[in-house]
Amino acid sequence: MPLHPEAKAIIEATTAAGGLIPEHLPAAQVRATFAENWRMPDDLEPVGRVYERAIPGPGGELRVRVYEPTGEGPFPGLLWFHGGGWVIGSFAENEATCRTLCREAEAVVVSVEYRLAPEHRFPAAAEDADAALSWVTERGAELDIDTTRVAVAGESSGANLAAVACLMAKDRGDRLPLLQVLAAPVIAPPADRPSYVDYATDHFLTRSSMEWFWAQYPRDAADLDNPYLNPLAATDLSGLPPALVMTAEYDPLRDEGEEYAHRLMDAGVPTELVRYHGQIHGFFALLADQLSISPMAHQRAIDALRKVFTQGLTLQPGPERQS
């Protein structure tokens, strides 16, 4: 399908502003500029309560923002990881999405402020994600969470961390989440997959931006083969939690996300794969207030979450396409 007019308008505005990521600037300055330019939506959905607290992390205290639904708990729990190439981003840009997921899935959403690169290189963010999942599954009752009903989710590099947290928990033999929701996931280093070639430029997220992010987070070339950074490098994906993988047609990351979904299917993991035609990277959370497709993507995630929280495993293996 052609680019959706809303996506095209975002691309044109981003291009006119000089691009998504000013790669010539130091990472700390890019991060500060992103934070300064972020605009919070005016119509945030009400939830029962929003508060912040600290939980133990491998590098010190981990800040989390907790979204609690109305009603009587304990509630299911959803761990959320923001995007930003492991370099930029925070609680703020996913505030609206976290509120929607909390309200509609009737779950306590725990948004994790993991350590950012290059100040904290791999495996810092992965270890923070792992620590957050372990804490919620062991001590989530402190947040009014039913620890037998926990899922993980994220967008872009946040989806990478959600997938990696599942891999780490599986390798350790820990209790696994009921579901992993991966929106436009970063799954592998930049490569010459068709989507990376066809949409390398002029489609919001660019290949050069991804190469810049991948220069900030790994410590060295050896890290690129580590499945806790590059999940496609994992040799055995069997036994992982069911997955909802959502990709965008005009996203350089499309093919690696879909390859991972098919790898999960081949390993016997119940996986639902949805490609949003005419759409670009960031359609789920980053651009949620600018793209009319976002509520549809949110609803698909909410439906999947409610099913696993209330009925157990119901996802059907096999790919699906939606425009």
Side-chain angles (χ1 to χ4, degrees), residues 35-100:
E36 290 168 4
N37 292 336
W38 181 254
R39 177 180 57 82
M40 185 72 71
D42 296 327
D43 53 345
L44 292 174
E45 291 192 56
V47 295
R49 184 163 67 123
V50 180
Y51 62 96
E52 295 183 15
R53 63 164 292 169
I55 63 174
E61 289 189 338
L62 266 178
R63 290 176 59 222
V64 296
R65 182 173 289 177
V66 182
Y67 302 81
E68 187 177 292
T70 57
E72 294 292 325
F75 303 97
L78 175 63
L79 220 61
W80 174 264
F81 301 101
H82 68 80
W86 309 284
V87 177
I88 63 177
S90 67
F91 298 141
E93 71 272 13
N94 293 171
E95 177 79 13
T97 294
C98 287
R99 285 172 175 265
T100 296

Side-chain angles (χ1 to χ4, degrees), residues 10 25 32 35-36 89 97 111 120-122 130-131 164-165 199 211 237 261-262 313:
I10 290 170
L25 297 177
E36 290 168 4
T97 294
S111 184
H120 304 283
R121 290 185 178 266
F122 177 80
D130 177 53
V164 164
Y199 311 123
E211 289 172 343
L237 300 181
H262 284 286
L313 176 58

Side-chain angles (χ1 to χ4, degrees), residues 56-221:
E61 289 189 338
L62 266 178
R63 290 176 59 222
V64 296
R65 182 173 289 177
V66 182
Y67 302 81
E68 187 177 292
T70 57
E72 294 292 325
F75 303 97
L78 175 63
L79 220 61
W80 174 264
F81 301 101
H82 68 80
W86 309 284
V87 177
I88 63 177
S90 67
F91 298 141
E93 71 272 13
N94 293 171
E95 177 79 13
T97 294
C98 287
R99 285 172 175 265
T100 296
L101 295 174
C102 168
R103 181 183 176 92
E104 300 302 325
E106 297 181 279
V108 173
V109 175
V110 181
S111 184
V112 182
E113 194 91 316
Y114 53 87
R115 288 172 290 172
L116 298 176
E119 295 88 346
H120 304 283
R121 290 185 178 266
F122 177 80
E127 290 179 344
D128 286 352
D130 177 53
L133 176 58
S134 294
W135 190 91
V136 167
T137 55
E138 293 170 6
R139 297 176 56 186
E142 295 181 24
L143 307 181
D144 211 11
I145 290 174
D146 174 359
T147 58
T148 67
R149 296 187 293 159
V150 172
V152 294
E155 182 175 59
S156 192
S157 59
N160 172 279
L161 295 177
V164 164
C166 293
L167 284 166
M168 296 175 84
K170 177 206 163 191
D171 290 349
R172 229 186 5 261
D174 286 357
R175 186 169 65 208
L176 295 173
L178 298 182
L179 179 69
Q180 47 182 325
V181 178
L182 312 179
V186 179
I187 293 295
D192 288 333
R193 296 179 178 88
S195 60
Y196 247 113
V197 174
D198 295 343
Y199 311 123
T201 60
D202 303 324
H203 287 86
F204 186 63
L205 179 66
T206 65
R207 181 183 184 119
S208 63
S209 290
M210 285 308 304
E211 289 172 343
W212 184 83
F213 285 130
W214 278 89
Q216 311 302 314
Y217 183 41
R219 295 164 300 187
D220 51 45

